[in-house]
Amino acid sequence: MNAPRSHSTALLALTWLVLLAGCAGAPERPDGNIRQALFTLGERAAGHVMAAPLLPRPASDQVLLLASPEVDAGLGIGDERFQESLVRALLAVGDGPQVLDWGDGLTQGGDNQWRLESRLIADGPRLSLSDRELLPYRLTLTLSRPGEESTRWEESLQGALDATAL
């Protein structure tokens, strides 16, 4: 009589192990993938902004005024989510600049203030792979002085986002 009970206990234990292993190996939630994809894009953008030759050093003496980004709706990323990832990446830079939201009423600034504008657009059709679709993008970053119309620095980054994570 003990044999069937031991067998069922072992089977139950094995079932739990399989379930736990399945949960541990389950793919990350799409929301986590989105956060990681946007964080990586934000880090890349922050690296390029910090390398801009016109920004005086140390960067900690600078103030970046972030304009609301323009994000192509076809990418499936909201303006606010992209801006959050960019702000987080800029704030994570060691000895990095101060980062503030851009106010439309702010037309003049000090010598240490720079207006950062960003524009994220789809840069071609979706690319279909065997297991996913990729969305090519172009991110354009520009720096200017508050109140000036002319751009003092511009950089374009290209890449592709995994559409299944968006």
Side-chain angles (χ1 to χ4, degrees):
M1 216 157 160
N2 285 341
R5 184 177 178 131
S6 296
H7 180 65
S8 64
T9 304
L11 185 57
L12 182 61
L14 181 61
T15 303
W16 276 108
L17 284 174
V18 169
L19 285 173
L20 289 174
C23 290
E28 200 174 308
R29 290 184 356 206
D31 193 47
N33 290 340
I34 294 169
R35 279 194 297 270
Q36 185 58 43
L38 288 178
F39 180 73
T40 301
L41 180 57
E43 280 184 324
R44 191 170 168 220
H48 282 268
V49 170
M50 297 316 305
L54 61 93
L55 285 179
R57 303 294 184 249
S60 58
D61 292 341
Q62 301 305 306
V63 177
L64 292 179
L65 306 168
L66 267 62
S68 295
E70 288 181 49
V71 179
D72 186 339
L75 290 171
I77 301 169
D79 297 353
E80 292 172 359
R81 291 188 83 184
F82 173 71
Q83 183 159 359
E84 179 183 350
S85 70
L86 181 57
V87 167
R88 285 179 183 268
L90 287 165
L91 291 173
V93 172
D95 293 326
Q98 298 174 50
V99 181
L100 302 172
D101 284 335
W102 170 255
D104 291 332
L106 187 58
T107 58
Q108 298 203 5
D111 291 341
N112 68 336
Q113 294 181 345
W114 296 88
R115 179 179 175 172
L116 176 62
E117 294 182 13
S118 56
R119 184 170 173 230
L120 181 62
I121 61 169
D123 194 29
R126 289 177 180 247
L127 304 172
S128 295
L129 304 177
S130 61
D131 62 340
R132 69 188 66 178
E133 286 188 330
L134 299 177
L135 296 170
Y137 69 81
R138 178 184 307 270
L139 173 60
T140 303
L141 303 163
T142 59
L143 284 172
S144 60
R145 291 291 191 172
E148 288 184 5
E149 294 296 319
S150 63
T151 297
R152 297 222 185 164
W153 174 84
E154 182 173 305
E155 183 88 21
S156 288
L157 311 173
Q158 292 179 283
L161 297 169
D162 184 348
T164 59
L166 300 178

